[in-house]
Amino acid sequence: MRKSLTALAALATAALAIPVADACTRILYSGAENAFYVGRSMDWAEETGTDLWAFPPEMKRDGGVGEGSITWTSKYSSIGAGFYNVATVDGMNDAGLTGNVLYLAESSYGDAKASGKPLLSIGGWLQYALDNYATVQEAVDALSKEPFALVAPVLPNGAAAAGHLALADKTGDSAIFEYIDGKLTIHHSKKYTVMTNSPVFEQQLAISTYWDTVGGSNFLPGTSRAADRFARMSWMLNAVPAEKDEATAMAEVLSLMRSISVPLGIQDPKLPNIASTRWRTAADINAKRYFFDNVHTPSVFWVDLDKLDLKAGSSALKLDLQGTPYLSGEVSKDFKPAEPFKFLAPKS
């Protein structure tokens, strides 16, 4: 037992040295009576140029990387957050499937062109899932067959595009998808309720096991590093009560995300895994209600997916958030028709 704890402690210490380009956190909160909520923070070294986008069903798509791109027609409508408006990194569809892409420095997608498979930009990874699947089980079954190869071009800011994907649904099911050394690994269980960045998810679980032996009421690691945030949030998520009232449950989710956030203006060029929180989201899966919390504005706003005019054949809709407009309450009326953004593509 002592040897195993020593090994876990060594793993926890080693994880502190892993550099990461951002410091996001994702949680899956279980309310009372089988109500589920997903919270997420976006921590990044600069503003992410994020707008909110809503897409209709029966929308024709392609993988965004030119010749050899995979093609599909969306089955579900969805709402999501654009990242530099070249990637969907957060969102939910009208079936309740909710997804979040977080940075993972260890990601390695292999030689996409040599795979012989249709190609998909990493910017469209989450959107592909939201467009095609209603449940986590459905997504796991389909994506485990690897119907495409991911292409990860450089981001507009020059950073490597590298991430892992978390999915949750209205049953409380959860799955984490990672590509390590060119191979897809899927962690699928309702117990996988927290995800941060490095190290890879399997090692995050081991680190959490170590801190469980310490006991969160006695001591928890306090830095903004990914491994510490994973341990801290795992304890806090289990410590808070399962609320029945929707408004109270959502307040609890947002309070958890704020508790793990990095204050605006705190940056360390020598520690790229510490980056300011830019925005937070929270998804009420059962109500199909999507909350957005921009750190530059004083209030939270939300979108009821059912209030958007997203029928087959309708145009994509955009909520322009450039200039950080002050929004509050339900804002579906503020979405305007817009040409969908193009997924991140290799530079020609």
Side-chain angles (χ1 to χ4, degrees), residues 44-45 224 261-269 271 274-278:
W44 198 251
S224 296
S261 296
V262 179
L264 190 64
I266 291 183
Q267 306 283 124
D268 188 340
L271 294 172
I274 298 178
S276 298
T277 299
R278 304 294 168 176

Side-chain angles (χ1 to χ4, degrees), residues 72-76 93 97 127-134 138:
W72 71 94
T73 300
S74 61
K75 298 177 182 177
Y76 305 98
N93 69 19
L97 186 70
Q127 193 63 56
Y128 182 91
L130 296 178
D131 285 351
N132 286 289
Y133 310 123
E138 189 179 343

Side-chain angles (χ1 to χ4, degrees), residues 194-217:
V194 178
M195 185 174 83
T196 57
N197 311 108
S198 296
V200 298
F201 191 69
E202 183 176 358
Q203 293 180 20
Q204 289 187 23
L205 294 174
I207 293 167
S208 182
T209 299
Y210 165 76
W211 285 107
D212 286 345
T213 65
V214 176
S217 59

Side-chain angles (χ1 to χ4, degrees), residues 4 28 30 46 78 105 116 122 133 136 152 177 186 195 199 201 211 225 247 261 284 297 310:
S4 63
L28 173 57
S30 300
E46 61 186 12
S78 64
I122 192 173
Y133 310 123
V136 169
F177 301 79
I186 302 175
M195 185 174 83
F201 191 69
W211 285 107
R225 299 171 190 265
S261 296
D284 182 336
T297 61
L310 293 173

Side-chain angles (χ1 to χ4, degrees), residues 41-48 262 264-267 275-280 292-296:
S41 64
M42 168 57 80
D43 303 355
W44 198 251
E46 61 186 12
E47 298 301 332
T48 61
V262 179
L264 190 64
I266 291 183
Q267 306 283 124
S276 298
T277 299
R278 304 294 168 176
W279 45 263
R280 292 170 285 257
F292 195 85
D293 181 15
N294 189 319
V295 300
H296 289 282

Side-chain angles (χ1 to χ4, degrees), residues 11 71 95 108 118 121 133 170 199 247 261 303 332 341:
L11 180 58
T71 60
S108 174
S121 165
Y133 310 123
K170 60 186 178 182
S261 296
V303 184
S332 58
F341 64 81

